[in-house]
């Protein structure tokens, strides 16, 4: 078969940056046999280039050419169409809306009901009709047809597909500017904003239609294009004109734009001295701005409001309710059919008592703030609650997108108000696109959760779809995080989550494994080893990451004060943000029980409250979210809390060591660039998982004094501390937090202009070893290191991870900049000398933590 020979050639010829993501339209292996199975001519029932129907026809032309190598013509007029029922196949693919088909006198004979944005694909002989409920639905249908084709399947039977919920939005946390001229993305790890630069909308918006295309292909229907921590300038005419350009570029893809607003805008712009939502002048201000905005963007989806949260102004400033605040905007957009999304991420951290009021709990805030307001929101208000792992708009998470949290009880309480769940695609607390994290099972654990309202099945996915409480609105929002990076998110694999999000918002019952297999075929091609490996690693990614970060519901244990990235469990107590673990020498966990604790468990409907209030019935994986227990408390698994911590951290980091090895086996089986960039991430993750393992285990061992039954924690037989070497031009440096360096100490060059040398005589038998060097790479310079064995350089590297990795740049020597490089299969004679030469660069003093020399295959 010819394609077998051709395919690898084609692939190695084209180095792929990832910019086309899952829409590469790459030639499928069986393309020749499929060419005759698809129609040869396309009719678009709307030839206006602004119409998603026209876009659909263009995508089909591109798709047929790329996937099948088949050139097809587009016939603009519907005159060539014959009504169904004719027995002559004419090989036409017709795409349009139900109304347009009717106008063209085609009886589409729809048996299933189509809801907004849904579609029906009718296959009849050699004809295919893609019938959208609306123009956007027709485009979704075309993308769905192409999705099948790009996986080697020609749809051969008619089918209907409707979205589960009307709201399927992405949120962007893009700033107009940040410090310098860059349009930054808050919690974004994929480069600068595609929308803004230097305080204005970019001149060059060429990435915007490419992005809208990706969104449309997975059923997303709107994008909030600026940060919820919104800048007041967003409503100035010069910015609104720029938003109009963005909207014009997205409209052909059926993606509407929406805006986040700063509640205090009237005051911040100096127009009024108040932003009281009940003041007439304030109401008029917002109506005028809204009218002006809709003149430029007549199909604006609506507004997103974060108010009275994290120091942001809001209605509470004037003793007004959240409903007063939300309804102000809801009334302004109502004449235009717009929606107001109000974020339930409400808490006032200034009232939290860091010094230890046992009953204080930020998790309680959302329900408390919304208490008594259900029913007072206008019907075009949607409350966006962070889901358990997510913290922002809709109703999902009680704290903030942690590695495991329970579902927000607010979902059960807003029965007369539309709600949406807010998820996070960008991996703020979950490895910032440098650790692999596939969200499917995590999101399902939220969406499939049964809140048992009134003793009846009340799945979160049914609540947000509006089914459970008969709400016409509701759905999904996700914080996207994409930027100018060619991979969009800063990582090829991370893009599976954007794809997944669209698929799940359309149908929350899709299979976790099925989605990742589809995505892999579309993104990396058909090699079965590639598909299997990506699926396996992706499905392992959540338990692996949870294992080496924060277990049993204690939260992710990242540095909470700064980058939200590396390990820093000490920062999880005494911080002003209310993310606490209440760890002391004997015990750990937030007591959220009803009688003795913060009462959070009591915010759930009785059946769920009972489960969480009772330590016996609380699942192990949320134990420390709900209960405060001694480290020696025995879990349902039979292990103690502290031993579970130790075991899980070893299990997780040991599994992460397999990722680069498994990935290496795929070389030549997929695009080389995508392969090598992904390998780079896996190698880094494997090293950083060991930093995590040791930082967390050392911290809790130190705090509790309880040793690891298996003798691993604090015992590192293969390790040589840099501080125990002979130093010349290097000196000892105590690292903060101490647990992020082995033996609390690293070495740094004594001056910022002269290199340092650390050397030691190795006490290993002659043989072949892997040699790992743990060092720190701050985001402030390009220090250089060289490793010698008996005077021979075996490796040289530079402190450039701030440009080769995606996580937030950090300036300090800590768990976020800790990094490992490993040299494999190094021949080491007995009594060899090992030497590291570090060349500082500016303020980066070539820090080294330790060297580990271990037999290949061992996890040190
Ligand atoms: C064709 O598309 C344009 C742009 O979306 C729209 O204004 C027009 O109403 C559409 N025509 C029909 C017949 O649907
Ligand atoms: C950024 O915008 C300001 C006006 O707001 C302008 O003065 C400045 O020249 C711009 N900077 C660049 C680099 O274009
Ligand atoms: C909004 O942006 C302007 C600069 O464009 C800045 O001066 C102002 O402080 C920003 N407002 C907020 C609330 O951050
Ligand atoms: C509304 O705000 C304006 C501007 O600050 C003020 O002059 C007016 O008195 C306020 N109206 C009421 C009823 O408080
Ligand atoms: C809000 O209410 C508190 C307590 O009732 C009061 O002290 C405060 O002055 C009020 N603030 C405003 C802006 O009305
Ligand atoms: C915080 O809690 C501590 C200990 O319970 C108490 O001494 C202190 O007064 C509290 N502070 C505030 C501001 O409530
Ligand atoms: C009850 O709360 C107190 C703090 O007020 C805490 O010290 C104690 O451990 C808690 N008891 C139980 C059984 O959780
Ligand atoms: C996570 O840790 C638990 C407890 O040690 C273990 O049973 C499980 O296999 C681990 N899973 C992974 C993927 O590391
Ligand atoms: C650990 O670090 C201290 C200095 O912080 C040093 O004196 C000691 O030798 C180190 N231990 C080892 C085993 O390197
Ligand atoms: C994209 O991000 C990766 C880090 O994740 C970086 O190595 C690469 O240089 C970036 N590429 C572009 C074109 O910005
Ligand atoms: C080098 O160190 C000196 C003294 O600490 C400091 O003044 C200088 O700014 C440093 N140079 C750089 C490039 O960081």
């Amino acid at each position: 078969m010819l394609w077998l020979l051709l395919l690898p050639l084609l692939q190695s010829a084209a180095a792929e940056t990832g910019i086309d993501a899952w829409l590469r339209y790459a030639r499928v292996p069986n393309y020749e046999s499929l060419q005759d199975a698809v129609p040869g001519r396309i009719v678009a029932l709307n030839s206006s280039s602004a119409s998603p129907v026209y876009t659909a026809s263009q995508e089909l032309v591109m798709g047929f050419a790329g996937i099948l190598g088949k050139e097809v013509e587009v016939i603009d007029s519907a005159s060539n169409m014959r009504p169904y029922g004719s027995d002559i196949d004419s090989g036409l693919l017709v795409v349009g809306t139900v109304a347009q088909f009717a106008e063209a006198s085609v009886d589409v004979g729809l048996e299933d009901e189509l809801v907004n944005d849904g579609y029906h694909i009718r296959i009849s002989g050699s004809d295919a009709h893609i019938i959208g409920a609306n123009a956007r639905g027709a485009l979704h249908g075309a993308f769905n047809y192409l999705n099948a084709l790009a996986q080697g399947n020609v749809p051969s039977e008619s089918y209907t597909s409707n979205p589960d919920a009307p709201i399927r939005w992405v949120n962007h946390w893009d700033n107009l500017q940040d410090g310098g001229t860059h349009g930054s993305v808050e919690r974004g790890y994929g480069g600068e904003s595609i929308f803004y630069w230097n305080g204005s909308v970019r001149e060059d918006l060429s990435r915007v239609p490419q992005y809208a295309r990706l969104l449309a292909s997975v059923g997303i229907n709107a994008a909030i294009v600026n940060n919820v921590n919104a800048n007041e300038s967003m409503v100035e005419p010069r910015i609104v004109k720029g938003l109009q350009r963005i909207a014009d570029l997205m409209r052909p893809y059926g993606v509407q734009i929406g805006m986040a607003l700063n509640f205090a805008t009237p005051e911040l712009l100096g127009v009024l001295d108040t932003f009281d939502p009940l003041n007439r002048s304030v109401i008029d201000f917002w109506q005028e701005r809204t009218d002006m905005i809709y003149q430029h963007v007549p199909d604006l989806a609506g507004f997103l409001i974060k108010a009275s949260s994290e120091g942001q102004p809001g209605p509470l400033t004037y003793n007004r309710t959240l409903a007063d605040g939300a309804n102000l905007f809801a009334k302004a957009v109502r004449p235009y059919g717009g929606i107001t999304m109000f974020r339930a991420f409400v808490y006032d951290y200034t009232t939290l008592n860091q010094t230890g009021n046992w009953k204080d709990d930020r998790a309680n805030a959302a329900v408390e703030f919304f208490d008594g307001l259900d029913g007072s929101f206008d019907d075009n208000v949607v409350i966006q609650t962070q889901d358990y792992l997510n913290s922002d708009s809709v109703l999902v998470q009680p704290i903030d997108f942690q590695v495991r949290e329970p579902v927000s009880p607010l979902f059960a309480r807003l029965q007369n108000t539309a709600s949406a769940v807010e998820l996070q695609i960008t991996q703020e607390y979950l490895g910032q696109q440098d650790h692999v994290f596939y969200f499917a099972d995590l999101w399902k654990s939220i969406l499939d959760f049964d809140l048992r309202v009134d003793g009846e099945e009340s799945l979160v996915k049914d609540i947000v779809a509006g089914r459970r409480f008969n709400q016409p609105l509701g759905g999904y929002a996700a914080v996207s995080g994409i930027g100018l990076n060619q991979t969009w998110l800063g990582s090829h694999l991370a893009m599976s989550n954007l794809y997944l999000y669209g698929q799940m918002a359309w149908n929350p019952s899709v299979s976790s494994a099925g989605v990742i297999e589809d995505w892999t075929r579309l993104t990396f091609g058909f090699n079965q080893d590639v598909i299997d490996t990506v699926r396996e690693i992706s499905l392992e990614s959540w338990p692996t990451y949870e294992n080496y970060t924060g277990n049993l519901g204690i939260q992710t244990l990242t540095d909470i004060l700064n980058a939200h990235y590396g390990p820093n469990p000490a920062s999880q107590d005494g911080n002003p943000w209310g993310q606490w673990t209440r760890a002391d020498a004997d015990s750990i966990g937030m007591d959220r029980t009803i009688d003795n604790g913060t009462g959070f468990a009591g915010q759930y409907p009785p059946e769920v409250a009972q489960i969480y209030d009772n330590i016996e019935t609380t699942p192990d994986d949320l134990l420390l979210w709900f209960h405060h227990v001694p480290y020696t408390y025995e879990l349902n698994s039979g292990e103690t809390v502290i031993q579970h911590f130790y075991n899980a951290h070893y299990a997780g980091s040991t599994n992460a060591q397999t990722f680069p090895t498994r990935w290496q086996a795929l070389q030549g089986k997929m695009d080389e660039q995508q392969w090598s960039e992904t390998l780079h991430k896996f190698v880094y993750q494997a090293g950083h998982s060991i930093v995590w393992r040791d930082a967390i285990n050392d911290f809790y061992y130190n705090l509790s004094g309880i040793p690891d039954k298996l003798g691993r924690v604090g015992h590192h037989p293969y390790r040589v501390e840099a501080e125990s070497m002979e130093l010349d031009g290097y000196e000892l440096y105590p690292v903060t937090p101490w647990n992020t360096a082995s033996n609390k100490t690293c070495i740094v060059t004594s001056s910022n202009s002269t290199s340092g040398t650390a050397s030691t005589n190795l006490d290993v038998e002659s043989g072949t070893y892997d040699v790992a060097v743990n060092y720190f790479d701050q985001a402030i310079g390009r220090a250089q290191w060289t490793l010698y064995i008996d005077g021979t350089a075996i490796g040289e590297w530079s402190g450039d991870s701030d440009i080769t990795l995606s996580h937030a740049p950090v300036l300090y020597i800590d768990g976020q900049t800790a990094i490992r490089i490993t040299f494999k299969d190094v021949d080491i004679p007995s009594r060899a000398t090992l030497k590291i030469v570090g060349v500082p660069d500016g303020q980066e003093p070539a820090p080294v933590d330790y060297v580990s020399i271990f037999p290949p295959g061992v996890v040190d």
Side-chain angles (χ1 to χ4, degrees), residues 17 189-192 207 432-434 484-492 673 677 680-681 800-807:
T17 63
Y189 312 104
E192 290 175 27
R207 292 292 289 272
Q432 303 190 348
Q433 278 90 297
D434 281 334
L484 281 181
N485 192 281
Q486 294 285 299
T487 66
W488 297 95
L489 278 167
S491 147
H492 297 286
Q673 181 174 347
E677 288 174 357
H680 182 70
K681 299 261 184 186
D800 61 359
S801 69
D802 48 329
I803 52 169
T804 68
L805 293 171
S806 51
H807 67 264

Side-chain angles (χ1 to χ4, degrees), residues 474-590:
Y476 296 78
V479 181
S480 158
I482 61 102
L484 281 181
N485 192 281
Q486 294 285 299
T487 66
W488 297 95
L489 278 167
S491 147
H492 297 286
L493 288 183
M495 283 297 275
S496 64
N497 291 317
L498 182 57
Y499 180 85
L500 168 76
Y501 170 66
Q503 303 290 346
M504 274 188 133
W506 189 274
N507 172 12
S509 303
V510 289
S511 116
S512 303
V515 169
I516 193 71
E517 288 188 358
D518 290 350
W519 176 84
T520 306
R521 236 174 258 119
L522 297 169
T523 306
F524 294 145
F526 283 73
N527 186 284
Q528 196 58 42
D529 294 340
V530 174
I531 294 166
D532 291 342
T533 303
V534 172
R535 183 194 61 243
E536 286 160 11
I537 291 180
S538 296
L539 294 177
E540 288 163 33
S541 64
W542 179 27
T544 300
Y545 186 80
E546 179 179 36
N547 267 355
Y548 64 73
T549 60
N551 318 123
L552 306 176
I554 198 60
Q555 306 185 38
T556 316
L557 302 179
T558 60
D559 182 293
I560 184 70
L561 302 172
N562 175 9
H564 297 184
Y565 181 62
N568 189 357
S571 73
Q572 300 279 334
D573 280 300
N575 66 66
W577 303 107
Q579 285 184 232
W580 303 322
T581 68
R582 301 228 197 271
D584 61 23
D586 307 309
S587 52
I588 184 168
M590 278 293 283

Side-chain angles (χ1 to χ4, degrees), residues 644-697:
H644 179 93
F645 271 33
Y646 297 152
N647 293 349
H649 280 82
Y650 271 90
S653 63
T654 299
N655 201 45
Q657 306 312 304
T658 69
F659 293 171
T661 321
R662 288 150 82 183
W663 196 258
Q664 241 144 1
L666 304 180
Q667 187 170 23
K669 298 178 177 180
M670 57 179 284
D671 177 73
E672 181 72 19
Q673 181 174 347
Q674 292 181 320
W675 175 82
S676 67
E677 288 174 357
T678 304
L679 179 63
H680 182 70
K681 299 261 184 186
F682 279 137
V683 169
Y684 167 78
Q685 179 183 357
H688 202 228
S689 75
I690 287 184
V691 173
W692 264 101
R693 178 196 74 189
D694 294 343
I696 302 299
N697 283 346

Side-chain angles (χ1 to χ4, degrees), residues 72-93:
V72 291
E73 59 172 324
V74 177
I75 307 165
D76 281 337
S77 122
S79 59
N80 289 327
M81 290 171 51
R82 293 158 300 96
Y84 278 113
S86 160
D87 51 6
I88 310 157
D89 292 339
S90 50
L92 276 189
L93 193 161

Side-chain angles (χ1 to χ4, degrees), residues 316-327:
L316 303 183
T317 312
Y318 295 93
N319 289 346
R320 309 301 189 192
T321 67
L322 298 180
D324 294 332
N327 293 344

